[in-house]
Amino acid sequence: MASLPASPTRAPLKTVPIPRNGVDYRHKIVLAPMVRSGELPSRLLALQYGADLVWGPETIDRALIGTTRKTNPATGTIDFTRLPSHNNAKAAKRGEEAKESVIFRIHPEKERGRLVYQIGTAKPELAVQAARLVAGDVAGIDVNAGCPKAFSTGGGMGAALLKEPEKLCTILRALVSEIGEEFGIGISVKIRLLETREETRSLVERLVQTGITGLTVHCRTTPMRPRERAIREQLRMIGEICRQAGVACLMNGDVTSREEGVRLAEEFGVDGAMIATAAEANPSVFRTAERGGKVDWKEVSAEYMRVALQVENKWGNTKFTLGQLMMGKAESARKCQVAKSYSQAVEYMGLTEELGEIADMVDEKLGLKVRVANMEKSKGVEKAMKENKSAKAAGKHVPMPKRREQGTINPLTPGQMSVSSMPAMVSACSSL
């Protein structure tokens, strides 16, 4: 594991004590929190290729509150699940049993001491309530104060917290005192740059006084998007403020490999780096040159499928992630995007001999077989209706079943009797 070497030029003046069950972010190259792309199979693959730590995808506090923690003996995972009422009717319509939704899934053996849970929150009481549910299973709780997307900012979460620093500090202090101290884990925060250097300085100076052990800065402002180049002019200043307070500082934004993360952290005087987009496209970017460096997309995609099947990952998420790993690479990639089950996907990827049996089993457990069968049945009905409509439009005669009135004598061959004519005949006979 090639971590950042300690450097006298950026040695901390002091260090915030790392809690007994927590982890020090210093000298680490880590996987960034990514919605959809940060689910369990992606995290396990990143760790397999050399990530020092992994962040889970942002999970809203209210989504976790009310879940049930369960150990899954089939996968060896710990699942936080709930039964969504709005899906019960849909499942019944499809002829399926309503299934519990997995809100958050972890692998206690493979992620122990290396998983940081990222929470989306705008209220300290909800943050504490949600964090308490997972705190015993993770190495840290990270508050998302950098997501610019509407689903986050619309609820006062994510980057919206940058405009309310006192609220953000209140949330962090509550988590430190009520979760960090009780469970012995670190609390951290992920932010974006503010519009001016002075605004960023003021915010960071307040944040490092809340008792957090780590701070990650995404080197873009809230309006900026991933396609825009990261700006690093304020990074040295942020790193210095964190170092003065003894808080670990990670950088994020346009980091494409472990080697580049190490180099940039040294150059800008921070403690480590976080990789997002590059890892989404190929998690082997965490692998050092000594271990062979970046792996071919076909090998990565196949390994991802193996891991996804082992943990019985949601098919929709697996399909999405495969799309990122295989984007525009080959015909098999395009086929996988129309696959409706694991069995179909492994066939398109040429992995049926190796994974066909387990894919079939997982499809059965996830209810994908029933769903695919119902979809095919629905397509058959839809096709027949379209053909009927087309025939009518072309002026062709389309035979339709006729309603038979009671007492009607149908044209029959000699010796046959119509059931519909029987009541009239009985009446006639009774009058004789």
Side-chain angles (χ1 to χ4, degrees):
M1 183 183 295
S3 297
L4 281 77
S7 170
T9 60
R10 59 182 180 83
L13 300 179
K14 63 177 182 177
T15 302
V16 172
I18 303 302
R20 63 187 184 279
N21 298 319
V23 61
D24 195 342
Y25 294 176
R26 293 178 180 83
H27 317 310
K28 303 291 194 301
I29 305 298
V30 309
L31 178 69
M34 292 181 284
V35 174
R36 300 186 76 180
S37 295
E39 296 294 344
L40 181 57
S42 300
R43 301 197 306 267
L44 294 181
L45 207 54
L47 289 171
Q48 182 176 315
Y49 285 122
D52 297 315
L53 300 172
V54 290
W55 264 240
E58 177 195 22
T59 305
I60 306 302
D61 51 17
R62 293 181 184 275
L64 194 67
I65 294 171
T67 58
T68 301
R69 180 186 183 278
K70 297 180 179 179
T71 299
N72 188 328
T75 60
T77 60
I78 293 174
D79 301 345
F80 293 85
T81 67
R82 71 182 333 141
L83 190 63
S85 57
H86 65 278
N87 279 344
N88 290 351
K90 291 181 180 179
K93 189 175 182 180
R94 292 194 299 260
E96 306 169 10
E97 290 185 14
K99 295 183 179 294
E100 288 187 314
S101 292
V102 177
I103 305 302
F104 189 55
R105 170 174 281 169
I106 68 175
H107 199 295
E109 179 185 347
K110 296 180 179 179
E111 294 188 290
R112 185 181 303 280
R114 298 196 286 177
L115 171 63
V116 177
Y117 175 83
Q118 191 182 64
I119 187 170
T121 187
K123 294 182 178 181
E125 61 273 16
L126 293 181
V128 168
Q129 189 178 349
R132 191 177 298 282
L133 296 172
V134 297
D137 298 304
V138 299
I141 302 289
D142 187 70
V143 174
N144 183 344
C147 180
K149 296 184 178 179
F151 77 84
S152 188
T153 58
M157 300 175 288
L161 289 171
L162 298 177
K163 298 178 181 179
E164 298 186 74
E166 184 53 41
K167 177 189 285 189
L168 176 55
C169 288
T170 300
I171 291 171
L172 293 173
R173 284 191 291 266
L175 287 169
V176 168
S177 63
E178 298 190 48
I179 299 299
E181 293 180 7
E182 177 182 344
F183 291 90
I185 60 175
I187 306 300
S188 59
V189 63
K190 186 170 187 285
I191 66 170
R192 283 189 173 231
L193 299 174
L194 298 182
E195 293 299 326
T196 68
R197 183 183 181 87
E198 292 69 27
E199 289 176 316
T200 302
R201 176 190 291 276
S202 176
L203 175 65
V204 175
E205 287 177 342
R206 296 181 67 175
L207 295 177
V208 297
Q209 298 303 318
T210 60
I212 59 174
T213 59
L215 180 147
T216 302
V217 56
H218 186 153
C219 296
R220 292 182 173 91
T221 60
T222 300
M224 294 176 68
R225 292 297 177 261
R227 65 178 179 276
E228 299 179 72
R229 185 178 179 182
I231 50 180
R232 299 184 176 126
E233 287 76 7
Q234 300 181 39
L235 197 50
R236 288 183 185 278
M237 172 195 72
I238 297 169
E240 180 62 26
I241 295 171
C242 289
R243 188 160 51 252
Q244 291 281 345
V247 173
C249 181
L250 301 180
M251 62 172 292
N252 174 222
D254 292 349
V255 182
T256 60
S257 67
R258 170 175 282 279
E259 284 77 8
E260 185 179 40
V262 172
R263 178 181 63 78
L264 289 172
E266 285 291 315
E267 179 182 347
F268 290 96
V270 294
D271 298 300
M274 181 177 275
I275 306 179
T277 306
E280 181 180 46
N282 189 327
S284 69
V285 295
F286 288 104
R287 200 163 81 157
T288 63
E290 289 77 13
R291 291 181 58 204
K294 193 174 177 180
V295 178
D296 179 76
W297 68 271
K298 289 184 179 179
E299 182 180 336
V300 172
S301 300
E303 187 60 21
Y304 173 83
M305 178 59 84
R306 295 183 188 103
V307 176
L309 285 167
Q310 288 170 6
V311 299
E312 299 176 4
N313 193 45
K314 296 177 185 176
W315 165 242
N317 179 257
T318 295
K319 182 176 179 179
F320 169 82
T321 307
L322 282 173
Q324 306 305 302
L325 298 174
M326 305 170 71
M327 189 176 292
K329 298 294 195 308
E331 178 63 25
S332 59
R334 290 186 285 274
K335 286 184 176 180
C336 279
Q337 288 310 291
V338 297
K340 298 177 178 63
S341 66
Y342 276 106
S343 297
Q344 290 181 3
V346 297
E347 178 184 351
Y348 297 150
M349 295 172 71
L351 299 171
T352 299
E353 184 175 351
E354 177 192 353
L355 301 175
E357 185 175 348
I358 185 174
D360 196 56
M361 291 171 58
V362 173
D363 282 345
E364 182 74 39
K365 290 189 72 173
L366 298 182
L368 296 176
K369 282 190 171 184
V370 173
R371 188 172 303 176
V372 171
N374 287 341
M375 289 175 68
E376 293 301 324
K377 181 179 179 181
S378 178
K379 281 186 177 180
V381 173
E382 185 178 345
K383 181 180 179 182
M385 292 177 67
K386 285 183 177 180
E387 290 176 349
N388 187 33
K389 187 176 181 180
S390 298
K392 286 184 176 181
K396 297 179 180 179
H397 174 67
V398 180
M400 297 292 288
K402 294 181 180 180
R403 181 182 178 184
R404 295 176 179 174
E405 300 294 339
Q406 184 173 343
T408 302
I409 304 297
N410 292 315
L412 301 170
T413 56
Q416 288 184 313
M417 179 180 290
S418 167
V419 174
S420 61
S421 67
M422 290 181 67
M425 295 181 66
V426 171
S427 177
C429 289
S430 63
S431 64
L432 292 177

